[in-house]
């Protein structure tokens, strides 16, 4: 018969259990620290267009490539990249209501949908012709056509591209979205756009939400409102896009293709939050806190992406994905402008 453990041994064993930490905690703390730093940088600079998501992935990549990280952080980084990301995307639904989207009218919604779908399809076709990796092409297409970095990390739950693909795609939408943000205000008058038309053009074609806000409000309050609402309409279309990508991947050739594309059930959470926000009135101060929390969680996910991205592999992707991102930017800007004129805005 095995002798009973002594009191000292029991206390030591109990104490060990008490002091043991969840394996995901070190990595979560690391991604949270990077996300907090990104939000702080955005706050200190006062630049609304400086997305904390973009800053997070840059900081994460810097840490990954300059510091030797212990293996203890791996589990938490993976947790941030998968679980925390999904929570952030679900909460993103609380930033838009059905009434905001419907306020664009039928013509506005059709214009948004046609521009989004045409841009996504065009980038995929050109990416295939250029020989760009399929996963990277899909990520650039999602980021350009929908809502920048948020769309990229959401699409990657289905696409499952490498971390370097995500980083490259985020770099593309950051670069070309920033160029659009700076050049659009200069083009409004030469193109003969009034406040509503300029706002719609900005919201339908510029990559990031923050970039749309910065560019559209240059045309005044009316322009800013139309830009923001049309951009939110694109954000809502993230849900059907991700589901379509998942179904397309699952119906691809071979068992491996079907197995590699999980159904993104969190998308229904996104839709549910939007419907909840449409059904009840959430106080403005609560909404503001939810926005900060959502940005923080998504920034943690982007930090995790950066912490797994190797700059050497990123450079190895070459110039073709960058050229594809440039094509996508020019295509969505031109196609959106044509749609704007055709629909009489």
């Amino acid at each position: 018969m095995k002798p009973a453990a002594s009191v000292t041994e029991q206390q030591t064993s109990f104490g060990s259990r008490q002091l043991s930490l969840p394996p995901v905690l070190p990595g979560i703390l690391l991604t949270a620290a990077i996300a907090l730093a990104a939000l702080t940088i955005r706050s200190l600079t006062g630049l609304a267009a400086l997305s904390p998501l973009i800053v997070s992935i840059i900081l994460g990549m810097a840490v990954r490539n300059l510091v030797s990280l212990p293996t203890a952080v791996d589990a938490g980084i993976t947790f941030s990249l998968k679980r925390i990301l999904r929570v952030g995307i679900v909460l993103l639904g609380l930033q838009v209501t059905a009434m905001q989207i419907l306020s664009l009218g039928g013509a506005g919604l059709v214009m948004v949908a046609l521009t989004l779908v045409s841009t996504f399809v065009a980038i995929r076709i050109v990416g295939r012709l250029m020989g760009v990796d399929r996963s990277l092409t899909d990520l650039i297409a999602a980021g350009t056509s929908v809502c920048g970095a948020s769309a990229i990390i959401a699409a990657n739950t289905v696409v499952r591209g490498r971390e370097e693909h995500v980083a490259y795609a985020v770099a593309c939408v950051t670069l070309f979205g920033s160029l659009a943000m700076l050049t659009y205000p200069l083009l409004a008058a030469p193109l003969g756009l009034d406040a509503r038309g300029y706002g719609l053009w900005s919201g339908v074609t510029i990559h990031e939400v923050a970039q749309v806000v910065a560019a559209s409000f240059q045309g005044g309050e009316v322009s800013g409102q139309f830009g923001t609402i049309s951009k939110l309409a694109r954000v809502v279309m993230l849900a059907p896009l991700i589901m379509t990508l998942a179904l397309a991947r699952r119906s691809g050739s071979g068992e491996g293709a079907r197995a590699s594309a999980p159904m993104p059930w969190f998308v229904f959470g996104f839709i549910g939050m939007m419907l909840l926000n449409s059904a009840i009135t959430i106080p403005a101060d609560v909404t503001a806190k939810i926005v900060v929390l959502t940005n923080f969680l998504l920034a943690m996910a982007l930090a995790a992406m950066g912490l797994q991205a190797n700059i050497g592999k990123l450079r190895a992707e070459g110039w073709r994905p960058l050229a594809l991102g440039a094509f996508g930017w020019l295509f969505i800007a031109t196609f959106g402008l044509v749609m704007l004129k055709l629909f009489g805005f």
Side-chain angles (χ1 to χ4, degrees), residues 10 22 26 28-29 67 105 123 132 152 157-158 224 236 272 305 323 327 343:
Q10 291 174 352
I28 290 176
L29 290 176
V67 179
I123 292 175
V132 178
I152 290 169
T157 60
V158 173
V236 169
M305 285 282 183
F327 163 79
F343 281 94

Side-chain angles (χ1 to χ4, degrees), residues 26-59:
I28 290 176
L29 290 176
L30 177 59
T31 57
I34 293 174
L36 182 60
L39 289 169
T40 303
I41 290 172
R42 195 261 185 85
S43 177
L44 291 176
T45 58
L47 298 176
L50 188 61
S51 169
L53 306 187
I54 295 168
V55 177
S56 284
I57 196 168
I58 292 173
L59 292 177

